[in-house]
């Protein structure tokens, strides 16, 4: 079993900026990850299985809906606490953070923001404990970066809606109890529908043979003439802006989460470099290895500052989509580069499951693709600063 020796880097004394509540939340999550995730995650990834045994614990530490009000079962925390929880969970594994992100920002968030009171009361408390698990269906086989082109659709049949179509690459799909599904009505307007497991014509086959996010279950959502009760439509917002609003919240969490993965790679590489002797000296004594480690801690520190400031703006409801997009892009790119460098510091040992680095590196290939690819985020910044969309 892998021993978790993680020590968190804090080169610019960012802890001074955190409140006592932030630190308590972070410590509780870090301790839980060391106890419940680190001992099992390598095995789960090797077997390509999502470890369902941790769902209850994720609910208990407040990882499902950290910022959702307490009256709906959430933890009622601020955005920086939410970020710190995502950082600590992704320090363990991006796939586990994915499960928490999807549940919180892509399932609970739209029900909280766009749902009515009956929907909030029915779904949110059960989602907060993990008694029910959710998924978010936006991407389709032919519409990934361009979700506005989706073809999944529903027709008003008087007593119910009839849903047809398919979603692909959906985290948590194979075991979700409820899916937030984005589909077009007969006028071509996008709406969110709550589709529950057991509804006739709704299936969720798992996607196999992934080399990335192996400890997270990914699948399809297939709808063949599914009858959706009318009370399952989210009434509060429609149009592409509705799912994109959820992505703002999830991308913010990823900007923090990626720091966790990078910290784990850096910390592992630093410890290894100080212990590994070659040519009579620890490899940490050689300039080329020091350059790698010095660049890693510099990039982590810059990413921490970006995430912290974004958290302040989020707390004040002032963070823009473009600011969130920049942090997601920068921090995931930073993490994937650190993972690649850190793996080299470990030489051959770096390719084994004895250390977490290769798993982080492979996971981050999904993280740099989902929630908007690196290129799409570059174009979002490009559009923001020039005023010209280069998407179409
Ligand atoms: P565009 O014309 O820019 O916008 C369409 C309408 O939406 C409005 N809008 C927003 N509203 C609220 N919040 C936002 N963040 C918004 N961004 C845009 C916009 O004002 C407009 O409104 P209206 O009234 O004028 O119609 O849309 P576009 O078709 O040009 O596309 C823009 C683009 C490419 C940036 C966008 O579609 C995009 O972000 N594409 C990337 C797709 C993506 O990120 N998919 C993620 C799927 S979910 C996922 O990956 C989960 S992984 C989770 C895990 O496991 O952790
Ligand atoms: P494409 O859109 O086909 O893009 C292919 C390439 O073309 C990319 O490099 C892209 O940057 C580039 N490209 C596309 N358009 C442009 C352009 N206009 N200009 C320049 N370059 C462009 N989706 C969900 O809805 N829910 C989920 O829970 C979910 N979970 C996921 C889990 C995993 C493990 C993965 C891998 C994906 C998940 N996704 C999910 C889907 C994810 O959001 C999409 O994969 C992503 O949005 C990219 O879409 P695509 O894969 O179809 O790539």
């Amino acid at each position: 079993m892998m021993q978790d020796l993680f020590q968190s880097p804090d080169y610019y004394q960012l802890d001074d900026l955190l409140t006592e509540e932030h630190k308590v939340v972070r410590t509780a999550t870090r301790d839980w990850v060391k106890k419940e995730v680190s001992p099992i995650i390598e095995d789960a990834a090797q077997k390509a299985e999502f470890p369902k045994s941790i769902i209850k614990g994720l609910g208990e530490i407040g990882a499902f809906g950290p910022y959702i009000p307490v009256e709906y079962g959430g933890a009622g925390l601020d955005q920086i606490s939410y970020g710190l929880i995502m950082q600590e969970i992704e320090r363990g594994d991006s796939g586990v953070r994915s499960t928490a992100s999807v549940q919180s920002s892509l399932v609970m968030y739209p029900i909280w923001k766009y749902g009515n009171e009956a929907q909030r009361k029915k779904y949110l408390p059960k989602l907060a404990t993990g008694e029910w698990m959710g998924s978010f269906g936006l991407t389709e086989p032919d519409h990934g970066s361009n979700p506005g082109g989706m073809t999944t659709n529903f027709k008003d049949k008087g007593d119910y809606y009839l849903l047809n179509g398919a979603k692909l690459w959906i985290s948590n799909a194979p075991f979700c109890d409820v899916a937030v599904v984005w589909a077009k009505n007969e006028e071509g307007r996008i709406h969110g529908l709550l589709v529950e497991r057991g509804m006739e014509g709704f299936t969720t086959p798992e996607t196999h043979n992934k080399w990335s996010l192996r400890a997270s279950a990914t699948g399809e959502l297939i709808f063949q003439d599914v009858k959706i009760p009318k009370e399952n439509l989210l009434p509060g917002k429609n149009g592409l802006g509705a799912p994109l609003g959820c992505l703002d919240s999830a991308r913010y969490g990823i900007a923090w989460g990626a720091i966790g993965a990078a910290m784990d790679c850096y910390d592992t590489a630093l410890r290894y470099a100080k212990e590994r002797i070659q040519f009579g000296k620890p490899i940490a004594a050689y300039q080329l290895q020091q350059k790698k480690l010095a660049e890693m801690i510099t990039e982590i520190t810059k990413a921490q500052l970006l995430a912290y400031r974004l958290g302040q703006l989020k707390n004040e409801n002032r963070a823009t989509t473009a600011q969130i997009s920049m942090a997601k892009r920068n921090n995931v790119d930073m993490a994937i580069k650190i993972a690649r460098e850190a793996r080299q510091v470990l030489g051959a040992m770096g390719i084994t499951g004895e250390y977490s680095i290769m798993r982080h590196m492979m996971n981050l290939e999904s993280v740099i693709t989902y929630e908007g690819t690196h290129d799409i985020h570059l174009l979002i910044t490009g559009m923001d600063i020039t005023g010209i969309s280069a998407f179409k």
Side-chain angles (χ1 to χ4, degrees), residues 136 138-139 144-145 169-171 366 369-371 373 375 379 391:
F136 176 88
L138 182 65
T139 306
S145 299
W169 297 116
I170 308 304
S171 300
S366 286
T369 295
Y370 67 35
E371 303 269 5
T373 65
D375 291 342
L379 296 180
F391 294 114

Side-chain angles (χ1 to χ4, degrees), residues 252-368:
Y252 167 76
I254 293 174
W256 281 89
I259 299 172
M263 280 177 168
D264 200 47
C265 293
Y266 163 76
D267 178 62
T268 304
L270 178 63
R271 190 174 311 105
Y272 189 90
K274 289 200 273 193
E275 288 169 2
R276 174 72 176 165
I277 310 289
Q278 286 296 287
F279 301 97
K281 281 199 277 188
I283 59 170
Y286 298 115
Q287 290 180 8
L288 286 174
Q289 305 312 317
Q290 287 193 5
K291 176 177 185 286
K292 288 191 182 81
L293 294 164
E295 286 173 351
M296 286 182 209
I297 191 62
T298 309
E299 292 308 313
I300 288 171
T301 304
K302 284 151 68 177
Q304 286 174 316
L305 290 164
L306 200 60
Y308 182 83
R309 176 61 185 147
L310 190 62
Q312 288 181 319
L313 292 171
K314 280 279 280 174
N315 276 342
E316 295 163 12
N317 269 324
R318 289 200 292 141
T320 66
T321 294
Q323 286 168 337
I324 294 167
S325 159
M326 178 186 281
K328 189 271 182 183
R329 169 174 55 83
N330 181 78
N331 290 9
V332 177
D333 192 48
M334 167 285 295
I336 207 166
K337 284 177 177 151
I338 285 180
R340 288 169 186 158
E341 290 287 295
R343 201 219 55 74
Q344 293 191 57
V345 173
L346 269 69
M349 285 311 290
I351 71 154
T352 72
E354 294 296 307
Y355 295 89
S356 55
I357 297 175
M358 188 91 178
R359 177 165 46 80
H360 283 306
M361 191 174 107
M362 295 195 299
N363 283 342
L364 288 162
E365 292 291 342
S366 286
V367 183
I368 204 164

Side-chain angles (χ1 to χ4, degrees), residues 97-98 101-102 106 136 138-139 144-145 147 171 240-241 244-245 247-248 251 321 370-372 376 380 391-392:
R97 197 269 307 132
S98 265
S101 288
V102 169
L106 299 182
F136 176 88
L138 182 65
T139 306
S145 299
S171 300
L240 186 58
L244 290 179
L247 295 183
D248 279 352
R251 289 168 179 173
T321 294
Y370 67 35
E371 303 269 5
I376 289 296
I380 289 175
F391 294 114
K392 299 164 195 166

Side-chain angles (χ1 to χ4, degrees), residues 138-163:
L138 182 65
T139 306
E140 299 188 349
D142 294 330
H143 300 95
S145 299
N146 175 27
M150 71 174 66
T151 58
T152 297
N153 66 88
F154 64 98
K155 293 189 168 58
D156 191 336
K157 292 288 179 184
D159 293 345
Y160 57 86
Y161 298 120
L162 197 65
L163 178 65

